[in-house]
Each structure stands twice: as structure tokens, then as C-alpha cells.
Amino acid sequence: MKKKLFKITLPIFAIIILVLSACSSNSGNANSASSGEGNGAADSFPEKNIDGIIMWGEGGATDIIARTLAPIVEDEIDGSLVMQNKAGAAGAIATQDVYDRPADGHTLLFGAENPNLYQVLDISDRSYQEDFVPISVIANSYAGIIVKEDSPFETIEDLVDFALNKPNDLIFGTTGEGGLPNVVLAMLQNELGSEFKTVPYDGEGPVTTALLGGEVDVTSVTVSAAQDYVESGDFRMLAVVNNEPIDALPDVPAITDAYPEINKYLPWGPFQAVFAHKDTPADVVEKLSESFQAAIETDEFKATLANLGMEYMNISGQEAMDYVDQNRSTAAWMLYEAGETVKSPEEFDIPKVAE
């Protein structure tokens, strides 16, 4: 009887082992997919509209670049990009939204440099380095320090001297913690000792409108966001935050002409980029990167960048991440040394850029 039972149970046991092995294999494949490894997902991508989440409001450099590029990318990827502005918390609302969506490549973050400072400013736990993968760093730009055309300040020295003699009398419009104006203010404070009262707005569009309406005395935005106002005579750009004048506005002096000590922070500036969730399948990331690269490479889009005073980059992969890392190191340590951060860059293993 025992021998007969053994003969019956042995085949059943073998079947169970085969079933368990198959389940284990399927589980391993699922884990590979969730870790972002290529799994053929790009063959049918995109399966629906791609949501492009813009981390700033309408009218700023990020918005202009994103909406100009989107229709060109649509032609390359044979899909639709639905663009949405989600401003707030220096872009952290949009960043968290993209992070919370499925990691399938159908939600992209059109962002700037701001998430590089979220951790040291304790705005958000999100970071490009830990939570996202670059599809493309599209271009970089320069910050310009601007006032209204009827402002009494004719030069950057006029502005700084007034701020030194009357600390906090002037209102400097910002785009919130971690925004470009805050980094420029940290430069001025660290090296020149100037102090301003600050008022935050939800992006470059709103802050330039505030300057136009006389709500603030001065602000700093990307050259692309200010260029039309400067050329129309509404604004005066006192300096570009660079170590030499730029082609888009050759008559505007570099800030180092007046204050060479700021050169140690340069090159630094805002950038425009597209990111996906870190767990997006690798083959989808590759397909997206190739589509964006082709779109950015077109003469039509290159002309847009030139007109906006932006420098063409069009880099992806590790080269893009290295660039983002260098930008983070410069800005994080600059704000930390100005006493503007909640936490030290060292807590997040952010290296200090050698002077």
C-alpha cells in the first residue's frame, strides 16, 4: 500500500514543483519590469496621451519651452502631448504629482533647476537624483537682474549700493524658496552683503507682471522671460548673471564686470529639462529620449532657443545627470553659506564645487 501511494504522489509532487518554478519566473520578470529594465514596453508606446506637467505657471521660460517643443515631439513620437501647468511650492507640487503617477512614461515633468534644492530647503523629499531619470536637458540659460524702465537704478552698482545703505527697503520679487531669484539673492548677499525684502510669486510670468505693475522694485528671471520686456522698453536689465555678455542682449553687462568676486559661482544658471519617473522601463526612456533629441535638433526649435537667449544643449543619459548634479552642488552650497537653507548639503552627500 505504501509503495502504491508513493507512485501516485511522486508525479503530483513533480507537477507542484513545476508550477512553483513558473510562478517564481513570472515574479522575477515582474520585478525586472518594475525596476525599469527594458521589457518591450516601447513597442506599443505611447498607448494613450502623454501628460506633460509644467512645474511653473504660464508665461515663464519653462512654459514657453515646453509648449513650443511639445508639437514637434508629437510628430516624432506619433502621439499626443497634453500640456498642463501645475504651479506652486517652487515646482514641488508638479514634481510630486509626476512621481505619484504610474511609471510608464505617459507622464513627464517639464522642469527647471528648482528640485535640486528641495532637500536642503526642506520643501520636499523629491530630488532629480533619487526619483527621476532625465529624458533630456534641453537648454540652459542665464539669469538677468531687472527693474522697470522708470526705476532710479541705472546700473547694478546703483541697486547694490542702495541695498547696502538701506537694508530691506527694496522689495525683490521671487518665485518662492528654491527659485532662481533666491539663488541670485544668495550670491548678492554672500559676496556683497546686500539685503532685500522678498515677496514670492508662482513663477516667472507672475513675478514679471508684479514688476510691471510696481508691486516689487526688482527681480531676477531668465533672460528668455525678460527679453521681450527689455526690447519693448518696459524693463531695464541691469546685469546678466554670467562672466561675459550674452549674444541675445549684448549691451547688458555681465555681473562680473562690476563684481568679479561672483565669478567663483559661475558658470551657473537655470536650465530646462524633461524627466520621467525613475522606474519607467528603460526602453520607453530610450524611445522618449530619441524623440525629444530629434525634436530639439530641428532648425525650428533651435531658432526658438536662440530667440529666447538660451543655449542649446540636447543631452540625455549620464551626461544629463552629471550636468544636473553640478548645478545642484553650486546652488545648494551657495544658499547654505548664505544661511538660507534648513539643512546642510552634506546631509544629502552633495559635494561642494571647488572654487
Side-chain angles (χ1 to χ4, degrees), residues 54-58 62 85-87 90-91 112 114 175 179 201-204:
I54 304 168
M55 67 163 53
W56 291 106
E58 296 179 3
T62 307
N85 295 88
K86 288 201 173 183
N114 313 86
T175 52
Y201 293 85
D202 283 336
E204 290 188 323

Side-chain angles (χ1 to χ4, degrees), residues 80-322:
S80 296
L81 264 167
V82 181
M83 307 306 292
Q84 306 167 45
N85 295 88
K86 288 201 173 183
I93 291 174
T95 304
Q96 186 66 48
D97 178 56
V98 175
Y99 180 79
D100 289 339
R101 304 272 195 104
D104 57 9
H106 288 95
T107 307
L108 301 177
L109 178 66
F110 284 74
E113 67 283 355
N114 313 86
N116 276 338
L117 297 171
Y118 288 167
Q119 292 176 325
V120 295
L121 293 172
D122 203 23
I123 292 174
S124 167
D125 292 332
R126 303 279 73 84
S127 73
Y128 286 141
Q129 288 74 14
E130 297 172 9
D131 302 314
F132 296 92
V133 58
I135 300 300
S136 174
V137 175
I138 301 165
N140 67 355
S141 185
Y142 305 95
I145 299 173
I146 54 176
V147 296
K148 284 188 69 176
E149 182 60 31
D150 60 2
S151 168
F153 307 116
E154 297 284 343
T155 65
I156 186 66
E157 294 97 325
D158 292 341
L159 179 75
V160 169
D161 289 346
F162 187 95
L164 288 171
N165 293 323
K166 297 184 177 180
N168 298 314
D169 267 21
L170 295 176
I171 300 175
F172 201 115
T174 76
T175 52
E177 288 186 300
L180 179 149
N182 277 45
V183 179
V184 173
L185 279 169
M187 282 187 191
L188 299 179
Q189 180 177 331
N190 281 355
E191 296 305 317
L192 310 177
S194 55
E195 296 182 25
F196 298 84
K197 185 184 297 182
T198 61
V199 176
Y201 293 85
D202 283 336
E204 290 188 323
V207 79
T208 51
T209 300
L211 180 62
L212 195 63
E215 296 176 22
V216 301
D217 299 301
V218 56
T219 188
S220 179
V221 295
T222 54
V223 168
S224 55
Q227 189 169 350
D228 285 348
Y229 292 101
V230 173
E231 292 176 348
S232 67
D234 292 309
F235 292 164
R236 179 185 305 124
M237 188 172 291
L238 302 181
V240 61
V241 182
N242 194 38
N243 50 17
E244 60 183 10
I246 62 173
D247 292 341
L249 294 170
D251 295 331
V252 177
I255 194 168
T256 51
D257 289 353
Y259 304 109
E261 56 267 45
I262 289 179
N263 188 63
K264 70 180 184 180
Y265 298 119
L266 305 173
W268 172 87
F271 63 81
Q272 310 301 320
V274 184
F275 291 85
H277 192 287
K278 65 175 181 177
D279 293 332
T280 303
D283 55 349
V284 172
V285 170
E286 183 178 2
K287 185 171 184 177
L288 282 165
S289 293
E290 289 174 353
S291 298
F292 271 87
Q293 181 178 23
I296 297 164
E297 183 67 24
T298 61
D299 291 340
E300 174 188 357
F301 188 72
K302 283 183 175 179
T304 297
L305 292 180
N307 290 336
L308 290 172
M310 305 193 79
E311 298 283 341
Y312 168 90
M313 293 190 70
N314 198 10
I315 58 175
S316 59
Q318 190 58 50
E319 183 182 7
M321 204 66 247
D322 289 345

